[in-house]
Amino acid sequence: MRADVGDRIHIHSRAVGIDEQQGEITEVRGTDGEPPYLVRFTDGHEGLLYPGPDCTVERRAAQQG
């Protein structure tokens, strides 16, 4: 998995009744975009994340200008 600061990460639920979590990657601590990532989740908490197979990264839209 590879990500950049500003990308969104989605943690999909593996069990019925557990909501998906989403957040913005605020820091990439691995080399060349690899994990771990510091993530600010939509509920406001921040945490260090080593994404598993239930995670996907949504790339930040390229800025034009």
Side-chain angles (χ1 to χ4, degrees):
M1 179 172 287
R2 185 184 183 302
D4 294 309
V5 171
D7 290 349
R8 307 250 342 136
I9 194 153
H10 301 268
I11 305 171
H12 304 284
S13 172
R14 294 182 289 172
V16 174
I18 299 176
D19 293 332
E20 176 180 285
Q21 291 185 326
Q22 298 179 31
E24 179 182 351
I25 297 173
T26 59
E27 186 178 333
V28 176
R29 294 196 178 172
T31 50
D32 198 29
E34 295 178 357
Y37 307 125
L38 187 61
V39 177
R40 182 181 310 116
F41 292 94
T42 54
D43 66 2
H45 84 276
E46 291 186 341
L48 192 61
L49 180 68
Y50 289 85
D54 55 344
C55 294
T56 56
V57 171
E58 178 184 336
R59 304 293 290 177
R60 176 183 56 188
Q63 294 182 3
Q64 297 179 5

